[in-house]
Amino acid sequence: MRYRVLTGVLLCVTVAACGGNDTVSRGATLYQQNCALCHGGDLRGGGGAGIEGLSRTPSDLTVLARNAGGTFPRAEVLMILENYSLGKQTGRIMRPFQHLNSEDTKRIKTSAGRIRAPAPQAALLAYLESVQRP
């Protein structure tokens, strides 16, 4: 099962790099640069070993939709990304992600309506949504 997820992630990144969805490709790059160290290259929370101050095992980011009843929780994930980018995260020790802010914004359709999000956060959101597993 683990190899199937990793293969899916690699396929997604490969397709995106070959002219597929540019937003997902950018999100995959942002993930690798900012999140993979702790959440693991397979997004399942397998990283973070030996990182000083890490308070608990990082979340499995491939089951966000499953944990939310089958629908990817865009608004909630965007709120978390925004809090991290503004340095307002609570309950977890994470490095600041101010560089995920941008004047360039994208409109994201959520269950609560459309939300404007900085382009880097929108890209990371698109990537996370693309790698959800049942």
Side-chain angles (χ1 to χ4, degrees):
M1 179 70 162
R2 187 174 194 138
Y3 293 110
R4 189 168 24 148
V5 172
L6 185 55
T7 301
V9 170
L10 291 174
L11 179 62
C12 178
V13 172
T14 302
V15 168
C18 293
N21 186 328
D22 288 339
T23 302
V24 172
S25 177
R26 174 135 164 73
T29 299
L30 287 169
Y31 177 84
Q32 290 303 318
Q33 293 170 342
N34 298 284
C35 313
L37 179 64
C38 293
H39 289 278
D42 64 357
L43 296 92
R44 297 184 71 189
I51 296 177
E52 186 177 329
L54 190 62
S55 56
R56 58 182 157 173
T57 302
S59 302
D60 180 342
L61 299 177
T62 66
V63 294
L64 299 173
R66 181 188 337 159
N67 292 345
T71 302
F72 185 74
R74 289 179 180 169
E76 292 85 353
V77 173
L78 279 173
M79 185 172 43
I80 292 167
L81 292 173
E82 179 182 21
N83 284 337
Y84 287 147
S85 71
L86 297 173
K88 295 181 179 179
Q89 68 272 16
T90 58
R92 293 178 189 231
I93 298 173
M94 287 188 56
R95 63 186 243 197
F97 295 106
Q98 288 91 352
H99 58 282
L100 293 178
N101 286 320
S102 170
E103 296 294 321
D104 179 22
T105 61
K106 304 292 181 192
R107 289 181 61 173
I108 308 294
K109 183 179 177 183
T110 72
S111 59
R114 294 198 180 270
I115 298 174
R116 285 211 170 269
Q121 292 176 35
L124 192 50
L125 179 80
Y127 174 64
L128 292 174
E129 188 169 13
S130 76
V131 296
Q132 295 304 294
R133 57 189 173 95

